[in-house]
Amino acid sequence: MQQRLQCCLQMPGVSKLGHLPAHPSLPVPLIPAQALAPHCCVCSQSLPGLWHWERGWLGWISALPQAVECPVHFDPWREAWQRQPVLCPSWERALQHPLLPSQGGSVQVRMRPLLWAACSQLLPWRAGLCSPKPAVTAMVTASHHSLRPPALLATSSSAASAPAGFLQALVPGSRAPSCWSSQFNVPPSALLVARPVGVCSMMRLPVQASAEGLDVVFVGVPLDTGTSNRPGARFGPRQIRAESAMVRRYNGSTGAAPFDSLRVADIGDVNVNLYNLPDSCRLIRESYQEIVASGCVPLTLGGDHTITYPILQALAAKHGPLGLVHVDAHTDTGDTALGERIYHGSPFRRCVEERLLDRGRVVQIGIRGSSYDPDPHKYSREQGFRVVPVEECWMKSLEPLMREVRAQMGDKPIYISFDIDGLDPAYAPGTGTPEIAGLTPAQALEIIRGCKGLNIVGCDLVEVAPMYDVSGNTALLGANLLFEMLCVLPGVKTL
């Protein structure tokens, strides 16, 4: 039976970060190493690296941050010490605990100098250690043989007295704590944490149960019941998340720093009904109503293009009729197919009928392919949409086009909907309805970056069907395009 210990640790005051403090002159308590077998306070992952302190100072110092957060949930480059949990040794409590005798134990280590040294490594290099810092209660266990993670404790004796910005206990159904900081979440660097390590979330960001407290959320809608050709887009969100491990913190081309500007997290997937498309639309709409009510901007991982219809229902209920930047091989303004009015070829006709779109502020870019009608774009033009056939995009930069689009959209709310089949299948073969002679990835970047400065209230990236691209490049392209969308959102700073 596991015996557990609350270890309240306090930061000592030392002079400079990056230098190991001298040994204290006071007597050092002797603590059995096996009495402290901690787990990550975010994900409860067992941290066996801390069971081998006898290997020496350097190995123990490098492992110490795992006493608070496992490698996936630890970022040593936070902007301020207030934004991270603090390890602090409270020797009065430690020495009184029956598990920590002053002598004896199979493996004993001198704790105080090690903690002093490691705490100087735990905080950002720019932070000082002289100011008093609130204590955080961490959970440790007495036995390192058990594989069962301990229960997580609150950071103080009561929820009301817990200092703001510090990790709280995980309660079923509650919002998970921020893994990187109390203000901003930052993708971990592959220089510190291997890319295959950790939960598969978008850009390896923390996963939360809701949009509460966030500015932007990544949300998956794994639905492909509305597809007319090749199914498989239901697996798009999962593969996009997997490939997003390659996406880093800053946009080196534009200088955008979204993770220094906005609170971003992954809130998982909408629980769709794969057997009932209208019911799935209801579930999506209700989920996005909650997201919008929190004041959050949703960035959606599709899923087939049907999902844009209920998403726009939720967004238009708050913002009114929306402008639309729509990148696609198809206009998706069909009426019915096989007697059904809801499928991935009809979302924008349904949106027009429900007055969800500001029809004078809709542009459709990259349209191409054979058709069943001699004039397949007639409906779009009759509604006032601007249709840009792919022939008008070949062999040229789209920056002039996007200057016109920005003028057309003005300062009213807009939505970006990007179907991956808007790109040529040479670049994005993993999709359900590919059309030849499409846009290039460079043109896709020009379109998204050309939306900078617009009042963007939501975006989606749809129709990634990973099984048709064993290289993973289609999903990788989708992950990067979602990052580019994040970078052009209102409020993102440029460094």
Side-chain angles (χ1 to χ4, degrees):
M1 182 176 181
Q2 283 188 334
Q3 302 182 57
R4 293 174 180 168
L5 162 68
Q6 286 190 359
C7 177
C8 183
L9 305 170
Q10 254 180 0
M11 299 295 290
V14 292
S15 56
K16 294 182 179 180
L17 283 168
H19 297 80
L20 301 182
H23 287 253
S25 57
L26 299 176
V28 178
L30 299 176
I31 300 177
Q34 71 269 28
L36 298 173
H39 294 70
C40 173
C41 64
V42 176
C43 65
S44 301
Q45 175 184 338
S46 177
L47 302 173
L50 288 182
W51 302 334
H52 304 290
W53 293 343
E54 69 275 16
R55 293 183 181 177
W57 271 38
L58 294 179
W60 189 85
I61 290 170
S62 65
L64 181 65
Q66 300 174 355
V68 179
E69 299 169 296
C70 71
V72 176
H73 295 139
F74 176 73
D75 177 13
W77 303 107
R78 299 189 183 137
E79 296 184 0
W81 62 263
Q82 294 97 334
R83 296 176 186 163
Q84 88 174 14
V86 178
L87 273 178
C88 324
S90 176
W91 303 109
E92 293 75 16
R93 292 193 186 186
L95 292 176
Q96 293 171 4
H97 199 278
L99 287 178
L100 303 179
S102 58
Q103 297 181 16
S106 60
V107 180
Q108 295 190 349
V109 293
R110 294 182 176 272
M111 291 289 294
R112 179 175 289 186
L114 297 179
L115 280 170
W116 280 36
C119 285
S120 69
Q121 306 294 313
L122 185 59
L123 295 180
W125 299 112
R126 296 188 300 275
L129 287 174
C130 297
S131 302
K133 300 167 179 75
V136 172
T137 302
M139 167 59 71
V140 294
T141 62
S143 172
H144 66 276
H145 299 290
S146 173
L147 297 178
R148 298 174 58 189
L152 298 176
L153 302 179
T155 60
S156 66
S157 59
S158 67
S161 62
F166 286 81
L167 291 176
Q168 304 293 322
L170 280 174
V171 180
S174 69
R175 181 167 66 92
S178 167
C179 302
W180 280 258
S181 69
S182 63
Q183 184 172 0
F184 298 122
N185 298 324
V186 179
S189 169
L191 301 177
L192 301 172
V193 181
R195 287 193 174 100
V197 171
V199 175
C200 186
S201 66
M202 188 63 183
M203 297 182 65
R204 300 191 294 167
L205 290 165
V207 177
Q208 296 192 180
S210 75
E212 178 188 356
L214 298 171
D215 300 310
V216 182
V217 293
F218 288 104
V219 54
V221 185
L223 179 72
D224 62 2
T225 313
T227 54
S228 59
N229 188 38
R230 302 190 301 197
R234 68 181 64 181
F235 302 112
R238 183 173 298 179
Q239 191 65 28
I240 291 171
R241 287 184 172 108
E243 299 296 340
S244 73
M246 275 294 296
V247 184
R248 302 167 184 86
R249 178 174 181 174
Y250 297 107
N251 191 319
S253 300
T254 66
F259 300 105
D260 295 332
S261 314
L262 303 171
R263 295 172 301 234
V264 189
D266 189 329
I267 62 169
D269 295 331
V270 176
N271 186 18
V272 296
N273 183 348
L274 295 177
Y275 307 113
N276 189 322
L277 192 54
D279 188 50
S280 286
C281 288
R282 176 189 62 82
L283 294 168
I284 296 167
R285 180 177 62 253
E286 292 174 355
S287 297
Y288 277 77
Q289 285 170 343
E290 295 181 7
I291 294 171
V292 171
S294 71
C296 213
V297 175
L299 299 182
T300 303
L301 293 65
D304 72 54
H305 223 152
T306 310
I307 69 174
T308 304
Y309 167 46
I311 292 172
L312 289 177
Q313 285 180 316
L315 290 172
K318 176 176 181 178
H319 300 287
L322 299 168
L324 176 68
V325 176
H326 173 208
V327 183
D328 204 323
H330 317 95
T331 60
D332 290 351
T333 54
D335 190 7
T336 62
L338 302 179
E340 297 296 328
R341 300 180 73 248
I342 299 176
Y343 70 107
H344 76 156
S346 68
F348 299 114
R349 184 181 285 251
R350 304 285 86 87
C351 289
V352 168
E353 293 170 348
E354 297 183 19
R355 299 182 179 180
L356 308 179
L357 297 176
D358 182 351
R359 293 179 291 175
R361 295 192 305 122
V362 176
V363 59
Q364 299 181 304
I365 305 171
I367 307 303
R368 65 190 189 276
S370 56
S371 65
Y372 298 113
D373 300 311
D375 188 3
H377 311 148
K378 179 180 178 181
Y379 179 85
S380 291
R381 290 196 303 270
E382 288 177 344
Q383 307 311 311
F385 296 1
R386 179 177 181 180
V387 179
V388 183
V390 75
E391 288 82 2
E392 296 181 16
C393 304
W394 285 346
M395 308 298 181
K396 65 175 68 172
S397 169
L398 300 187
E399 288 185 357
L401 168 65
M402 293 312 298
R403 283 196 293 269
E404 297 173 5
V405 170
R406 286 195 298 272
Q408 178 183 359
M409 297 297 162
D411 58 0
K412 296 180 181 179
I414 76 153
Y415 186 84
I416 300 174
S417 185
F418 201 115
D419 189 325
I420 202 70
D421 71 24
L423 301 180
D424 191 273
Y427 305 106
T431 190
T433 50
E435 303 283 359
I436 66 166
L439 301 171
T440 68
Q443 289 174 319
L445 295 185
E446 288 182 317
I447 293 170
I448 296 175
R449 292 175 184 177
C451 293
K452 177 70 174 177
L454 296 179
N455 184 10
I456 302 168
V457 297
C459 308
D460 64 47
L461 189 288
V462 297
E463 299 285 359
V464 171
M467 66 281 299
Y468 308 116
D469 181 7
V470 295
S471 71
N473 284 346
T474 305
L476 176 64
L477 185 53
N480 278 273
L481 294 180
L482 282 161
F483 173 66
E484 293 286 339
M485 294 174 189
L486 174 63
C487 289
V488 299
L489 293 182
V492 173
K493 325 187 270 196
T494 299
L495 300 181

